[in-house]
Amino acid sequence: MSAIGPEIERLIQLLAKLPGLGPRSARRAALDLLKKREVLMEPLALALTDAARAIKTCEICGNLDTASPCALCCDPRREGRVLCVVEDVADLWALERAGVFKGRYHVLGGALSALDGITPERLNVGSLIDRAKQGVEEIILAMNATVEGQTTAHYLLDALAETGVKVTRLAHGVPVGGELDYLDEGTLSAAFKARRSL
Amino acid sequence: MSAIGPEIERLIQLLAKLPGLGPRSARRAALDLLKKREVLMEPLALALTDAARAIKTCEICGNLDTASPCALCCDPRREGRVLCVVEDVADLWALERAGVFKGRYHVLGGALSALDGITPERLNVGSLIDRAKQGVEEIILAMNATVEGQTTAHYLLDALAETGVKVTRLAHGVPVGGELDYLDEGTLSAAFKARRSL
Ligand SMILES: [Zn+2]
Ligand SMILES: [Zn+2]
């Protein structure tokens, strides 16, 4: 592709690595950025640099924020005795958008998967058990309703047994095979309200 | 969305402006970037900054390159007496990927559209007529096979009449309603070979 110089080529290659952008849409995006240098390209470069510098992983819950512990962990209005365990920060964002949960979170960083070699050691399980032992009264397992998510929930139920903390999971309402991040507020709210003891 | 700080919020908003990324996929992309800071986020910020600084619009043909005139305009191996007129740099890239044209290009910067208020004055038409008068023997109109593209081709045919230069258009092979950037090399090659005089 001699017509595309190395600078644009490199930009296209990196854009194509973003989820949702294939090679063709990456080319379109690169071209669009080059046409909107001042209103889009330079601001995006700056936003990326700023976020890369500023954003930390919360040492307590695994959330992403400018501070560690994060704003959610530091918020005194949130109920510290109830933990909601999610696979990913995207799920935390989805629950916060729905505004259905006012306790604290624990981000596992994924779900167990034999296929992808995701073992319990690669997830934030140890820190969850440590937190469970520190005055927590309920742990809500808000895994995705996928095979991996449900496998993870069962694993966590066993792992948390020693702590004696009540463990619940989201109610039916999360569609089978569905991912939290896709759900509307009503569904998320119903699933929270009807959560059951495991 | 109190859980998402202003830095991430800004990043999501800018990513959502890229063609092909909606609000949800922009959130996914932002999260993916934050997880891959060193291998994706910082390199992308750098690639954007580099490209924004380095890339110019070619003063002759409208192509994007680190130099103006661009590498295609300066390449002595390319046939300077044949011009291929395209709507957009993406179309130039598509033709270069296919490797079916060895002349020079002229990028209009869009197509005529009454609906979008794209008049001839907003396209690089004047510079095309100037170039046509400087030893050009054939002008290939490689517009998209859309209403706007064909309207533009007809307009250019009239506008170029005064120059006496032979004007051709791409042959059937470009599907009706289709855009060049979507086509495979075979189709583009066939369309080039069977181009007809207008
Ligand atoms: Zn936190
Ligand atoms: Zn040029």
Side-chain angles (χ1 to χ4, degrees):
Chain A
M1 289 210 275
S2 62
I4 303 185
E7 292 84 1
I8 302 180
E9 196 62 72
R10 171 112 181 103
L11 180 60
I12 293 171
Q13 278 170 7
L14 288 166
L15 287 169
K17 289 184 183 173
L18 294 181
L21 285 184
R24 180 171 190 281
S25 47
R27 286 198 300 269
R28 288 255 157 206
L31 210 49
D32 205 57
L33 285 160
L34 284 162
K35 286 177 190 166
K36 298 173 184 165
R37 255 169 258 200
E38 281 167 35
V39 295
L40 187 53
M41 195 171 198
E42 287 162 11
L44 181 58
L46 195 65
L48 286 164
T49 308
D50 283 353
R53 278 185 200 146
I55 304 300
K56 299 167 181 68
T57 300
C58 174
E59 67 207 78
I60 297 176
C61 75
N63 185 21
L64 293 167
D65 199 357
T66 44
S68 173
C70 73
L72 298 179
C73 283
C74 295
D75 186 345
R77 291 163 303 179
R78 299 190 75 106
E79 173 56 75
R81 287 167 299 183
V82 184
L83 290 188
C84 179
V85 185
V86 292
E87 295 179 20
D88 198 278
V89 175
D91 302 324
L92 184 161
W93 289 353
L95 291 168
E96 283 301 295
R97 280 198 303 280
V100 293
F101 176 65
K102 294 298 172 197
R104 303 207 195 263
Y105 290 96
H106 193 85
V107 181
L108 284 179
L112 294 176
S113 166
L115 216 63
D116 297 330
I118 311 289
T119 58
E121 293 71 37
R122 296 190 53 185
L123 301 178
N124 301 323
V125 172
S127 56
L128 174 63
I129 294 170
D130 290 345
R131 291 179 78 186
K133 291 174 181 167
Q134 294 164 22
V136 169
E137 292 175 3
E138 180 181 358
I139 291 177
I140 306 170
L141 302 180
M143 267 73 260
N144 288 324
T146 56
V147 173
E148 290 80 11
Q150 296 312 301
T151 303
T152 309
H154 282 119
Y155 174 85
L156 291 177
L157 184 62
D158 284 345
L160 289 163
E162 56 161 309
T163 67
V165 176
K166 177 182 168 187
V167 178
T168 59
R169 66 162 174 79
L170 295 192
H172 287 303
V174 181
V176 173
E179 298 185 359
L180 290 190
D181 194 17
Y182 276 98
L183 300 182
D184 60 296
E185 301 184 11
T187 310
L188 285 167
S189 179
F192 251 87
K193 282 177 190 148
R195 68 184 183 266
R196 12 175 264 194
S197 198
L198 287 175
Chain B
M1 288 209 277
S2 62
I4 303 185
E7 291 84 1
I8 301 180
E9 196 63 70
R10 172 112 181 104
L11 180 60
I12 293 171
Q13 279 170 7
L14 288 167
L15 287 170
K17 289 183 184 174
L18 294 180
L21 285 184
R24 181 172 188 280
S25 48
R27 286 199 299 271
R28 288 255 159 207
L31 208 49
D32 204 56
L33 284 161
L34 284 161
K35 286 178 189 165
K36 298 173 184 165
R37 255 170 257 199
E38 283 167 35
V39 295
L40 187 54
M41 195 172 199
E42 288 161 10
L44 181 57
L46 195 65
L48 286 163
T49 308
D50 282 354
R53 277 185 200 148
I55 304 301
K56 300 167 181 68
T57 299
C58 174
E59 67 207 77
I60 297 177
C61 75
N63 185 21
L64 294 166
D65 199 356
T66 44
S68 173
C70 74
L72 297 180
C73 284
C74 295
D75 187 345
R77 291 164 304 179
R78 299 190 76 106
E79 173 55 76
R81 288 167 299 182
V82 185
L83 290 188
C84 179
V85 185
V86 292
E87 296 180 20
D88 200 276
V89 175
D91 302 324
L92 183 161
W93 288 353
L95 291 169
E96 282 302 293
R97 280 198 302 280
V100 292
F101 177 65
K102 294 297 172 199
R104 303 205 196 265
Y105 289 96
H106 192 85
V107 181
L108 284 178
L112 294 176
S113 166
L115 214 66
D116 297 331
I118 311 289
T119 58
E121 293 71 37
R122 295 189 55 185
L123 301 178
N124 300 323
V125 172
S127 55
L128 174 63
I129 295 171
D130 290 343
R131 290 180 78 187
K133 291 173 181 167
Q134 293 163 25
V136 169
E137 292 174 4
E138 179 180 359
I139 291 178
I140 306 170
L141 301 180
M143 268 70 261
N144 288 323
T146 58
V147 173
E148 290 80 11
Q150 295 313 300
T151 303
T152 308
H154 283 118
Y155 173 85
L156 291 178
L157 183 63
D158 284 346
L160 289 164
E162 56 161 311
T163 65
V165 175
K166 177 180 169 193
V167 178
T168 58
R169 67 161 173 78
L170 295 192
H172 286 302
V174 181
V176 174
E179 297 182 1
L180 290 192
D181 193 18
Y182 276 99
L183 301 182
D184 60 296
E185 301 183 10
T187 309
L188 285 167
S189 178
F192 250 90
K193 282 178 192 148
R195 68 184 184 267
R196 9 175 269 195
S197 199
L198 286 176

